[in-house]
Amino acid sequence: MTTEEQARKWIAQGDHDLNLARIAYANDSYEWAAAIAQQAAEKFLKALYIVRFQATPPRTHDLEALANTLGAPPELAAFGRPLTEDYLRARYPDIAGGVPHEIFDATTAEERIAQAERIRDWVIQQLGQGG
């Protein structure tokens, strides 16, 4: 399988995850919307990593570091920090400092989904320009 074929699979799964984040949001599951938005963004960035470096992407959830490795614009790479932090906060009460589904709100979830969408747009643009 070519790296472009691999990347298409990562993008397809990222699109599916992003859709699930929207469904979670629509059902007031804001913590899951944020967590799944992070997963979508991670898959988009890793798709670009595969094409750009012709290599398996690193096993990391640190989207800011991954975006910086890919040369993302600073404002886009900066989305990686809240996405990654909320991915962990949304899943673990000890990290969240409380019950995640009681802490997350619509505004936060909506922001994380929008950030994942912006990362997707940038990745698709990069892939269209030959990676």
Side-chain angles (χ1 to χ4, degrees):
M1 177 180 334
T2 68
T3 54
E4 288 77 15
E5 290 168 334
Q6 291 176 43
R8 276 194 295 275
K9 289 181 179 189
W10 282 80
I11 295 289
Q13 186 61 46
D15 284 341
H16 179 75
D17 289 355
L18 194 52
N19 186 53
L20 287 176
R22 292 180 187 117
I23 291 168
Y25 176 85
N27 286 285
D28 302 334
S29 293
Y30 302 127
E31 80 283 10
W32 279 111
I36 298 168
Q38 184 280 342
Q39 284 290 281
E42 183 176 321
K43 289 174 179 88
F44 299 139
L45 291 170
K46 288 182 176 182
L48 181 57
Y49 187 99
I50 289 166
V51 171
R52 187 161 285 168
F53 298 112
Q54 302 288 302
T56 301
R59 291 183 169 269
T60 183
H61 296 300
D62 186 342
L63 300 189
E64 186 174 27
L66 189 56
N68 283 325
T69 298
L70 291 165
E75 65 276 5
L76 192 85
F79 292 157
R81 180 169 293 166
L83 279 161
T84 301
E85 289 172 355
D86 282 347
Y87 172 68
L88 297 170
R89 282 186 340 114
R91 296 172 54 224
Y92 303 109
D94 58 334
I95 295 173
V99 181
H101 81 268
E102 295 173 354
I103 294 171
F104 277 80
D105 60 20
T107 301
T108 301
E110 191 171 35
E111 287 173 2
R112 299 304 166 259
I113 291 169
Q115 290 165 339
E117 289 169 340
R118 293 266 314 275
I119 288 171
R120 183 193 188 281
D121 292 345
W122 179 77
V123 166
I124 296 301
Q125 178 190 34
Q126 296 301 300
L127 291 171
Q129 295 176 358

